[in-house]
Structures are given as structure tokens and as C-alpha cells.
Amino acid sequence: MRKLGRNKPCPCGSGMKYKQCCMLKMAAALPANFCGLRQVEQLLAEAAAHLQSGQLATSESFYRQVIAIDPNQVAALIGLGQIAFQAGYYESAVQLLVAAADRSAEPTVAAVAALHLGQTYSALGRIEEAALTCSRAICLRPDCYEAHHLLGRLLQAQGRFGEAEQCYRAAVTYAPNHGAVHLDRGCLQALQGNYEAAVQSFLNVLTLQPDSSEGYNNLGNVYQTLGRLDEAHTCFQRAVALRPDFALRSEEHTSELQSRITIS
């Protein structure tokens, strides 16, 4: 579509120039803060790009400019919460993310705020609150695999293995190509003695992430438990080649390491 020139006849048929007719009417119909809204969009885009690239200070400066224009801008509050979390200022992150969750009228955005809040509570060791906010994120957005995944880890840490497995299963359903979900699910399955299922989960990890030292190490542990020592030895060799700090007992061809899940 060709751009309508401001000095061209107005398409409404008034006989006046476009700039003297409908262009003026359209401008008058715009909200008073239209320029501010466009500026906010540009600032948010810049802030998000810098946050993604790890430039936290620069990203924060853009988000602060947004807050100066609109103190209730939810995306900016979430962004500042993420920055505070990454910088280790967890209490500040909680305040920002709670404010974002309270102000969001859009369920998808509120789910993002709840997910990040759950991650922050988890880092603070406030496991019950973390689980509750993850559950809220799932209610707001059932396909949020990150919330299912984190909730599974939290439940596993509490010894609620059956519920944790349900969460991992949901996470795999919504994100079948996310290797970390398969890894944590495999660790839980091995812990429950469901070794064949654990083997498949760790094989899924290695299909998705062929250079996963943790995948090889955990698979080796399960093969060792099943008495499949040659396969275990091969896995441990691959794990050590990828990550030399994995100890290898050469005389037994087994690994000293045990799989763990660190809540973060």
C-alpha cells in the first residue's frame, strides 16, 4: 500500500489536502499520552534486549526510564525484578515482582510475574511460597512448562515424589525439547527405583543435548545399578571427557558422583 502524502487530496472527498482534513482529525483522536506510549514501547524493547544480553546496568537504566513515565508499567517491574534476582538482591526482586503481579490485568503477563516470583522465593529457601506462586502461574497459564518444571523440583525437594512426577510429566508434554526437564525427571525416576524409565529420560537428554556431561554421568549411574557395566563405563568416559572434574574409578569403571537437583 502506498503511503498517502500530506499534501495530496484527502481521500474522504472533501477537496482539502490530507494534512488539513483527515490527518488532523486522526491526530486529534489519538490519546494525549500517545507519544509517551510509543516512547515506553521503544524503551521496553531496548531494556529487554540488554537484559537478554546480560547488560544488567544498561537494561535497568531503560526500565527506570519507563517507570518514570508510567510507575505501574508491569513489564518494567518484571524486568527490574529479573535484574534484581540476577544481581542477588532477592528481597528487592520479591517486592518488584509482587507489585507486577498485583498490577497485571493480563493473565499471561501475571503468570510470568508469578513464575519469576516463584524462582525468587525458591532462591530464598521459602519453598512453600515458591510452590504456591508456581501453582498460581500454572492456573493463569496452564502451558507454562517452566512453572511445572520448577514446581516439580520444589515438590521433589519436599519428598512429594508422586506429585513431582506429575509436574515433570506436564512439563515434558508442553516442552518435549527442553533437556533440563528430562534430566530432572530421570533423576527422580532413578531415585524411585524406576531405572528403565530413567534410562529413557537420560537418553532423551543426550538426544537433545549431545554434550551433556550430566546426562552421561547420570545415565552411567543407572546403567551401573542395572549391572550394564560396559555401557556404564562408556558413559562415564564420555562424562569425564566433557567435564574432567567428574571422578572416574578406573578399576571399577564407575562414577563417584551422585545426581543432585539444586533448587534455584
Side-chain angles (χ1 to χ4, degrees), residues 72-146:
N72 295 315
Q73 224 298 328
V74 174
L77 291 169
I78 293 175
L80 289 171
Q82 290 179 272
I83 291 170
F85 176 84
Q86 291 185 35
Y89 300 116
Y90 299 137
E91 294 295 348
S92 295
V94 166
Q95 294 177 8
L96 289 160
L97 293 167
V98 167
D102 289 343
R103 288 164 173 76
S104 177
E106 170 57 46
T108 301
V109 177
V112 173
L115 171 63
H116 290 303
L117 184 57
Q119 292 170 337
T120 307
Y121 280 143
S122 178
L124 286 166
R126 295 160 62 174
I127 304 303
E128 290 292 341
E129 291 167 287
L132 284 173
T133 52
C134 284
S135 296
R136 173 167 170 74
I138 292 168
C139 288
L140 291 165
R141 186 183 147 200
D143 65 343
C144 181
Y145 81 88
E146 299 99 330

Side-chain angles (χ1 to χ4, degrees), residues 196-215:
E196 293 299 338
V199 166
Q200 186 56 57
S201 290
F202 293 136
L203 288 174
N204 290 339
V205 174
L206 296 173
T207 298
L208 296 166
Q209 301 172 356
D211 294 332
S212 172
S213 55
E214 290 184 343

